[in-house]
Amino acid sequence: MNAVTEADLLSRFGFYKGALFVREQSLCVVSDVHIGLAEALYRQGLHFPLHEEETLLERFEAILGRFRPAVFILDGDIFHAFDRVSRDVRETLSTILAALRAECEVVLVRGSHDVMLPAIVGGTVERYDRGGYTVVHGDQAVDDHGTLIIGHDHPAIEIDLARFPCFLYGQGAARGRDLVVMPAYNPLSPGVMINYARGRDFLSPILRRVDVGALQPVVEVDGEAVVLPPLAGIRRFA
């Protein structure tokens, strides 16, 4: 698989605040919103305000302002907790959905954490297909798909001792189709460092059968996307 140039990739996709924008489809995707992560951290003893709802909502509004998508997908692990959804978490989700639905169509793709999501909002799906693109959370194997967009693994890359959430792009990486791996949208998630990761290190069965060294990280620097060389090349010079 060959590396793609930054110009080619950015002509096809937008990358901003953890969101992927598929330009030709006017389709925006975020993954692993993990509403309730702040609440979980508080229960573990982190007793200072994290302003999760305000932070998430500000990011969504910025993304809507930049891309103005026709469709906005929340790609799984919308909730953080498997077993309980508090009133505050429900209210945060309701506020976010109201803001998104005022501007575009919204699709909720279920993830591994979203056991209670269908009972709370209804109308969720396991996958979404549009114009040759397939959006799934990534916790299950998928054989029949277009360009594949997944979350689940929260990739981050370390550069000069700083950790950056990152997208991963692989041309023809998933059964001959292109692959985009999303970072965790919730900024409270530190991400999982992928500098030296191998296929077996990932949670997603999709990524376990991919040549991880051929994937290209995309990071955001001062609001602009930077496309890095494939991981195999980065490792050689690290």
Side-chain angles (χ1 to χ4, degrees), residues 41-166:
L41 293 172
Y42 185 84
R43 290 199 302 272
Q44 293 170 17
L46 195 63
H47 291 168
F48 61 87
L50 297 173
H51 305 293
E52 183 182 59
E53 179 177 318
E54 294 91 338
T55 300
L56 292 175
L57 193 58
E58 286 174 3
R59 288 166 68 88
F60 277 117
E61 289 173 345
I63 292 163
L64 288 170
R66 173 168 286 207
F67 295 131
R68 302 197 179 280
V71 181
F72 206 122
I73 300 177
L74 306 188
D75 184 21
D77 286 3
I78 296 164
F79 291 144
H80 179 68
F82 292 90
D83 57 344
R84 65 187 299 273
V85 179
S86 70
R87 178 181 297 177
D88 286 346
V89 169
R90 291 178 187 231
E91 289 177 353
T92 296
L93 176 61
S94 179
T95 300
I96 288 170
L97 291 180
L100 294 176
R101 286 171 173 161
E103 302 294 334
C104 57
E105 178 187 351
V106 179
V107 178
L108 304 180
V109 174
R110 295 189 298 276
S112 54
H113 284 240
D114 298 321
V115 177
M116 302 183 69
L117 184 66
I120 292 170
V121 297
T124 62
V125 299
E126 291 187 355
R127 64 182 280 170
Y128 179 81
D129 291 275
R130 178 185 175 97
Y133 291 83
T134 300
V135 182
V136 296
H137 183 60
D139 55 317
Q140 309 266 343
V142 182
D143 291 327
D144 178 21
H145 56 78
T147 291
L148 194 57
I149 301 170
I150 69 172
H152 193 51
D153 268 282
H154 306 188
I157 189 166
E158 188 173 284
I159 303 172
D160 292 334
L161 302 181
R163 182 172 294 196
F164 299 87
C166 68

Side-chain angles (χ1 to χ4, degrees), residues 183-213:
Y185 179 73
N186 194 317
L188 298 178
S189 173
V192 178
M193 195 174 76
I194 49 83
N195 291 58
Y196 300 100
R198 307 298 178 187
R200 63 179 178 271
D201 298 323
F202 288 95
L203 296 174
S204 172
I206 296 168
L207 284 174
R208 288 194 203 125
R209 60 189 188 189
V210 162
D211 177 8
V212 176

Side-chain angles (χ1 to χ4, degrees), residues 3-4 6 157 159 166 215-219 226-231 234:
V4 298
E6 183 169 277
I157 189 166
I159 303 172
C166 68
L215 300 181
Q216 291 181 250
V218 181
V219 299
V226 177
V227 181
L228 301 178
L231 279 171
I234 293 173

